[in-house]
Coordinates of all heavy atoms in Angstrom, one line a residue:
F1 N -51.9 -92.5 -8.8 CA -53.0 -91.5 -8.8 C -53.1 -90.6 -10.0 O -53.9 -89.6 -10.0 CB -53.0 -90.7 -7.5 CG -53.4 -91.5 -6.2 CD1 -53.1 -91.1 -5.0 CD2 -54.1 -92.7 -6.4 CE1 -53.5 -91.7 -3.9 CE2 -54.4 -93.4 -5.2 CZ -54.1 -92.9 -4.0
M2 N -52.1 -90.8 -10.9 CA -52.1 -89.9 -12.1 C -53.5 -90.0 -12.8 O -54.0 -91.0 -13.1 CB -51.0 -90.4 -13.1 CG -51.0 -89.6 -14.4 SD -50.6 -87.9 -14.2 CE -50.7 -87.3 -15.9
G3 N -54.1 -88.8 -13.1 CA -55.3 -88.8 -13.8 C -56.5 -89.1 -13.0 O -57.6 -89.3 -13.5
L4 N -56.4 -89.1 -11.6 CA -57.5 -89.4 -10.7 C -58.6 -88.4 -10.9 O -58.4 -87.2 -11.0 CB -56.9 -89.3 -9.3 CG -57.9 -89.8 -8.2 CD1 -58.0 -91.3 -8.2 CD2 -57.3 -89.4 -6.8
L5 N -59.9 -88.9 -10.9 CA -61.0 -88.0 -11.0 C -61.5 -87.7 -9.7 O -61.8 -88.5 -8.8 CB -62.1 -88.7 -11.8 CG -62.2 -88.5 -13.3 CD1 -60.9 -88.8 -14.0 CD2 -63.4 -89.2 -14.0
R6 N -61.7 -86.3 -9.5 CA -62.1 -85.8 -8.2 C -63.2 -84.7 -8.5 O -63.0 -83.9 -9.4 CB -61.0 -85.1 -7.4 CG -60.0 -86.1 -6.8 CD -58.9 -85.4 -6.2 NE -59.3 -84.6 -5.1 CZ -58.8 -83.4 -4.7 NH1 -57.7 -83.0 -5.4 NH2 -59.3 -82.8 -3.7
A7 N -64.2 -84.6 -7.7 CA -65.2 -83.5 -7.9 C -64.7 -82.3 -7.0 O -65.1 -82.2 -5.9 CB -66.6 -84.0 -7.4
R8 N -63.9 -81.5 -7.6 CA -63.3 -80.4 -6.8 C -63.2 -79.1 -7.6 O -62.7 -78.1 -7.1 CB -62.0 -80.8 -6.3 CG -60.9 -81.2 -7.3 CD -60.0 -80.0 -7.6 NE -58.8 -80.4 -8.4 CZ -58.1 -79.4 -9.1 NH1 -58.5 -78.1 -9.0 NH2 -57.1 -79.7 -9.8
G9 N -63.5 -79.1 -8.9 CA -63.4 -77.9 -9.7 C -64.5 -76.8 -9.5 O -65.6 -77.2 -9.5
L10 N -64.0 -75.6 -9.3 CA -65.0 -74.5 -9.1 C -65.2 -73.9 -10.5 O -66.2 -73.2 -10.7 CB -64.4 -73.4 -8.2 CG -64.3 -73.8 -6.8 CD1 -63.6 -72.8 -6.0 CD2 -65.7 -74.1 -6.2
N11 N -64.3 -74.0 -11.5 CA -64.5 -73.5 -12.8 C -64.2 -74.6 -13.8 O -63.6 -75.6 -13.5 CB -63.5 -72.4 -13.0 CG -63.7 -71.2 -12.1 OD1 -64.6 -70.4 -12.2 ND2 -62.8 -71.2 -11.0
V12 N -64.6 -74.4 -15.0 CA -64.3 -75.3 -16.1 C -63.1 -74.9 -16.9 O -63.1 -73.9 -17.6 CB -65.5 -75.5 -17.1 CG1 -65.2 -76.4 -18.2 CG2 -66.7 -76.0 -16.4
N13 N -62.0 -75.6 -16.6 CA -60.7 -75.4 -17.4 C -60.4 -76.7 -18.1 O -61.2 -77.6 -18.2 CB -59.6 -75.0 -16.4 CG -59.9 -73.6 -15.8 OD1 -60.1 -72.6 -16.5 ND2 -60.0 -73.6 -14.4
D14 N -59.2 -76.8 -18.6 CA -58.8 -78.0 -19.4 C -59.0 -79.3 -18.6 O -59.3 -80.3 -19.3 CB -57.4 -77.8 -19.9 CG -57.2 -76.8 -21.0 OD1 -58.3 -76.4 -21.5 OD2 -56.1 -76.3 -21.2
W15 N -58.6 -79.4 -17.4 CA -58.7 -80.6 -16.6 C -60.2 -81.0 -16.4 O -60.4 -82.2 -16.0 CB -58.0 -80.5 -15.3 CG -56.5 -80.4 -15.5 CD1 -55.8 -80.3 -16.6 CD2 -55.5 -80.3 -14.4 NE1 -54.4 -80.3 -16.4 CE2 -54.2 -80.3 -15.0 CE3 -55.6 -80.4 -13.0 CZ2 -53.0 -80.2 -14.2 CZ3 -54.4 -80.3 -12.2 CH2 -53.2 -80.2 -12.9
E16 N -61.1 -80.1 -16.6 CA -62.5 -80.4 -16.3 C -63.3 -80.7 -17.6 O -64.5 -80.8 -17.6 CB -63.2 -79.3 -15.6 CG -62.9 -79.1 -14.2 CD -61.5 -78.5 -14.0 OE1 -61.1 -77.6 -14.8 OE2 -60.8 -78.9 -13.1
K17 N -62.6 -80.9 -18.7 CA -63.2 -81.1 -20.1 C -63.1 -82.6 -20.5 O -61.9 -83.1 -20.4 CB -62.7 -80.2 -21.1 CG -63.0 -78.7 -20.8 CD -62.4 -77.8 -21.9 CE -62.7 -76.4 -21.6 NZ -62.0 -75.5 -22.6
F18 N -64.2 -83.2 -20.8 CA -64.2 -84.6 -21.1 C -65.0 -84.8 -22.5 O -65.6 -83.9 -22.9 CB -64.9 -85.5 -20.1 CG -64.2 -85.4 -18.7 CD1 -64.5 -84.4 -17.7 CD2 -63.2 -86.3 -18.4 CE1 -63.9 -84.3 -16.6 CE2 -62.5 -86.2 -17.2 CZ -62.9 -85.2 -16.2
W19 N -64.9 -86.0 -23.0 CA -65.7 -86.4 -24.1 C -66.4 -87.7 -23.7 O -65.8 -88.7 -23.2 CB -64.9 -86.6 -25.4 CG -65.9 -86.8 -26.5 CD1 -66.2 -88.0 -27.2 CD2 -66.7 -85.8 -27.2 NE1 -67.1 -87.7 -28.2 CE2 -67.4 -86.3 -28.2 CE3 -66.7 -84.4 -26.9 CZ2 -68.3 -85.6 -29.0 CZ3 -67.6 -83.6 -27.7 CH2 -68.3 -84.2 -28.8
V20 N -67.8 -87.7 -23.8 CA -68.6 -88.8 -23.5 C -69.2 -89.4 -24.8 O -69.7 -88.6 -25.6 CB -69.8 -88.4 -22.5 CG1 -70.6 -89.6 -22.2 CG2 -69.1 -87.7 -21.3
D21 N -69.1 -90.7 -24.9 CA -69.6 -91.3 -26.1 C -70.3 -92.7 -25.7 O -69.8 -93.3 -24.7 CB -68.6 -91.6 -27.1 CG -69.2 -91.7 -28.6 OD1 -70.4 -91.6 -28.7 OD2 -68.3 -92.0 -29.5
C22 N -71.3 -93.1 -26.5 CA -72.0 -94.4 -26.1 C -72.2 -95.2 -27.3 O -72.4 -94.7 -28.4 CB -73.3 -94.0 -25.4 SG -73.2 -93.5 -23.8
T23 N -72.2 -96.5 -27.1 CA -72.8 -97.5 -28.1 C -74.1 -97.9 -27.5 O -74.6 -97.3 -26.6 CB -71.8 -98.7 -28.2 OG1 -71.9 -99.5 -27.0 CG2 -70.4 -98.3 -28.4
Q24 N -74.7 -98.9 -28.1 CA -75.9 -99.5 -27.6 C -75.8 -100.2 -26.3 O -76.8 -100.4 -25.6 CB -76.6 -100.4 -28.7 CG -77.1 -99.7 -29.9 CD -77.9 -100.6 -30.8 OE1 -78.1 -101.7 -30.6 NE2 -78.4 -99.9 -31.9
S25 N -74.6 -100.5 -25.8 CA -74.5 -101.3 -24.7 C -73.6 -100.6 -23.6 O -73.6 -101.1 -22.4 CB -73.8 -102.7 -25.0 OG -72.6 -102.5 -25.6
Y26 N -72.8 -99.6 -23.9 CA -72.0 -99.0 -22.9 C -71.6 -97.5 -23.3 O -71.7 -97.2 -24.5 CB -70.8 -99.8 -22.6 CG -69.8 -99.9 -23.7 CD1 -68.8 -98.9 -24.0 CD2 -69.8 -101.0 -24.6 CE1 -67.9 -99.1 -25.0 CE2 -68.9 -101.1 -25.6 CZ -68.0 -100.2 -25.8 OH -67.1 -100.3 -26.9
C27 N -71.1 -96.8 -22.3 CA -70.6 -95.4 -22.6 C -69.1 -95.4 -22.2 O -68.7 -96.1 -21.2 CB -71.4 -94.4 -21.8 SG -73.1 -94.4 -22.1
T28 N -68.4 -94.5 -22.8 CA -67.0 -94.2 -22.4 C -66.8 -92.8 -22.0 O -67.6 -91.9 -22.5 CB -66.0 -94.6 -23.5 OG1 -66.3 -93.8 -24.7 CG2 -66.0 -96.1 -23.8
I29 N -65.9 -92.5 -21.2 CA -65.6 -91.1 -20.8 C -64.1 -90.9 -21.1 O -63.3 -91.7 -20.6 CB -65.9 -90.8 -19.3 CG1 -67.3 -91.2 -19.0 CG2 -65.5 -89.4 -18.9 CD1 -67.6 -91.2 -17.5
K30 N -63.8 -89.9 -21.8 CA -62.4 -89.6 -22.1 C -61.9 -88.2 -21.7 O -62.7 -87.2 -21.9 CB -62.1 -89.8 -23.6 CG -60.6 -89.5 -24.0 CD -60.5 -89.6 -25.6 CE -60.5 -91.0 -26.0 NZ -60.2 -91.1 -27.5
S31 N -60.8 -88.1 -21.0 CA -60.3 -86.7 -20.7 C -59.7 -86.1 -22.0 O -58.9 -86.7 -22.7 CB -59.1 -86.9 -19.7 OG -58.4 -85.6 -19.6
L32 N -60.1 -84.9 -22.3 CA -59.6 -84.2 -23.4 C -58.2 -83.7 -23.2 O -57.5 -83.3 -24.2 CB -60.6 -83.1 -23.8 CG -62.0 -83.5 -24.4 CD1 -62.8 -82.3 -24.8 CD2 -61.8 -84.5 -25.6
F33 N -57.8 -83.6 -22.0 CA -56.5 -83.0 -21.7 C -55.4 -84.0 -22.1 O -54.4 -83.7 -22.8 CB -56.3 -82.7 -20.2 CG -55.0 -82.0 -19.9 CD1 -54.9 -80.6 -20.1 CD2 -53.9 -82.7 -19.5 CE1 -53.7 -80.0 -19.8 CE2 -52.7 -82.0 -19.2 CZ -52.6 -80.7 -19.4
N34 N -55.5 -85.3 -21.7 CA -54.5 -86.3 -22.0 C -55.0 -87.4 -23.0 O -54.3 -88.3 -23.4 CB -54.0 -87.0 -20.8 CG -55.0 -87.9 -20.1 OD1 -56.2 -87.9 -20.5 ND2 -54.6 -88.6 -19.0
N35 N -56.3 -87.2 -23.5 CA -56.9 -88.1 -24.5 C -56.9 -89.5 -24.0 O -56.7 -90.5 -24.8 CB -56.1 -88.0 -25.8 CG -56.9 -88.4 -27.0 OD1 -58.1 -88.2 -27.1 ND2 -56.2 -89.1 -28.0
K36 N -57.1 -89.8 -22.7 CA -57.1 -91.1 -22.1 C -58.5 -91.4 -21.6 O -59.3 -90.5 -21.1 CB -56.1 -91.2 -21.0 CG -54.7 -91.0 -21.4 CD -54.1 -92.1 -22.2 CE -52.7 -91.8 -22.6 NZ -51.8 -91.9 -21.4
Y37 N -58.9 -92.7 -21.8 CA -60.2 -93.1 -21.3 C -60.2 -93.3 -19.7 O -59.2 -93.6 -19.2 CB -60.6 -94.5 -21.8 CG -60.9 -94.5 -23.3 CD1 -60.0 -94.9 -24.3 CD2 -62.1 -94.0 -23.8 CE1 -60.3 -94.9 -25.6 CE2 -62.5 -93.9 -25.1 CZ -61.5 -94.4 -26.1 OH -61.8 -94.3 -27.4

């Protein structure tokens, strides 16, 4: 369950920050805290 995504944050802190990027065929989501997709 390490890095599990849950909708539970009341505030935006480090664990709630992501980077979203897309190509013409798909998007990726990366956690900025551990730099993992």
Side-chain angles (χ1 to χ4, degrees):
F1 287 163
M2 174 67 181
L4 191 68
L5 264 59
R6 295 174 56 211
R8 62 93 172 164
L10 292 173
N11 302 282
V12 177
N13 295 303
D14 288 345
W15 291 3
E16 288 76 37
K17 295 178 180 179
F18 299 89
W19 191 256
V20 180
D21 201 4
C22 289
T23 69
Q24 291 188 356
S25 57
Y26 65 86
C27 301
T28 59
I29 304 168
K30 180 184 284 188
S31 166
L32 291 183
F33 186 85
N34 69 354
N35 202 37
K36 299 289 180 65
Y37 290 104

